[in-house]
Each structure stands twice: as C-alpha cells, then as structure tokens.
Amino acid sequence: MTDDVRRQIVDHLPRLRRFARALTGDSDRADDLVQETCLRALSRLDQWEPGTRLDSWLYRIAQNIWFDRARALKVRGEVVDIDTAHDISGEDGRKVTESRLVLGEVSRALERLPPDQRIVIGLVCIEGLSYAQAAEITEVPVGTVMSRLARARRALFDATHGEIPNATPPEAEKSRG
C-alpha cells in the first residue's frame, strides 16, 4: 500500500509544482515547497486516510507550509536574489521581451494578492480544479471560493490592464457571452 501511495505522490508532482509556483511566485521557492511538501507527506503517510483524495491532502500540506513560511517571513524580512537578470534569446527578441514583461507583471500581481485569493487562483485557474474541489481543500463554502476567485481575477485584470481604454474586465466578458 505504501509503495502505491508513493507512486501516486510522484504522479501528482507536476500539478503540485504548478500549485506551488502559483503560491510562491518563484520557480526555486516552488521547488523547495514541493520538496518540503513531499517530505512531510511521506513522513506522515499514516495521517492520510485511504479512500480520500491524495491530491487534496498534498495541496493542503503545501498550503500550510506556505502559510508557515509567510508568517516566518514577516518576522525575518524578505531575502532578495541579486541574480535576477536573465539572458533573453529567441527568434524574435522583442516578442520574448514583451512576453517576459507581461509574465513578470502577472507574477508580481499574483504576489500582491491576499493568500486566500492566491490559493484559489492556484487551485482553480492553474490546476483546473472545480470550485467544489477547491472549497474542500481550503475548507470554505463554494460561494466563498467563487467570491475570492472573482476578486482575484478582478485584481489581476486591474494590475495588468490599468487604465487601458476599451479594456473589458473579466466579469463584463462573461455577461456578454
């Protein structure tokens, strides 16, 4: 049984990494979070209840570790990586640069979201989980997941579009369709 669960954990690694990336906003910190999540999950396999969703349990562990780290960061302060410049290469340097700028803008906007909104963005938009699944993982009602997601989407739209004329917010596009 334990070997089967370990294989299942390995199968969930890509999804867990995407979720961790959404929470941390950084690939290296996401990898660290995934590693710590796996270590904790493997050391506490006896706490997982067979028949329940393993992915939900892993997301919950990752979320708790991330909350713990965020609390510790408030006490210690943020560490800044000096080596943030990357070489830009590609067929069209302008498109690569623009894409990286937009991605950076979205990443910074994600980092400014409150933790509860960042979590639902990670679960629903990045991982593709249903509202009900996200509600189960975060232990809040489905309506709360929906409202957090709406606020997060609005904040991301505002952060990435600013005062652009004729920009249509996400809510307006839904009502038009």
Side-chain angles (χ1 to χ4, degrees), residues 2 5-6 9 34-48 54 57-58 61 65:
T2 304
V5 175
R6 287 181 177 156
I9 290 173
V34 169
Q35 181 177 1
E36 191 170 342
T37 299
C38 290
L39 287 172
R40 189 170 296 177
L42 291 171
S43 70
R44 298 177 184 171
L45 269 180
D46 59 315
Q47 294 178 7
W48 177 67
L54 182 62
W57 186 61
L58 292 170
I61 291 171
I65 292 170

Side-chain angles (χ1 to χ4, degrees), residues 51-62:
T52 62
R53 292 181 54 131
L54 182 62
D55 60 344
S56 294
W57 186 61
L58 292 170
Y59 289 140
R60 190 75 174 152
I61 291 171

Side-chain angles (χ1 to χ4, degrees), residues 172-177:
E173 285 186 16
K174 280 186 184 176
S175 64
R176 286 171 36 199

Side-chain angles (χ1 to χ4, degrees), residues 2 11 17 47 53 67 71 89 119-120 152 165-166 172 174:
T2 304
D11 292 342
R17 187 172 188 287
Q47 294 178 7
R53 292 181 54 131
F67 278 138
R71 281 190 287 271
S89 61
I119 288 167
V120 296
N166 300 321
K174 280 186 184 176

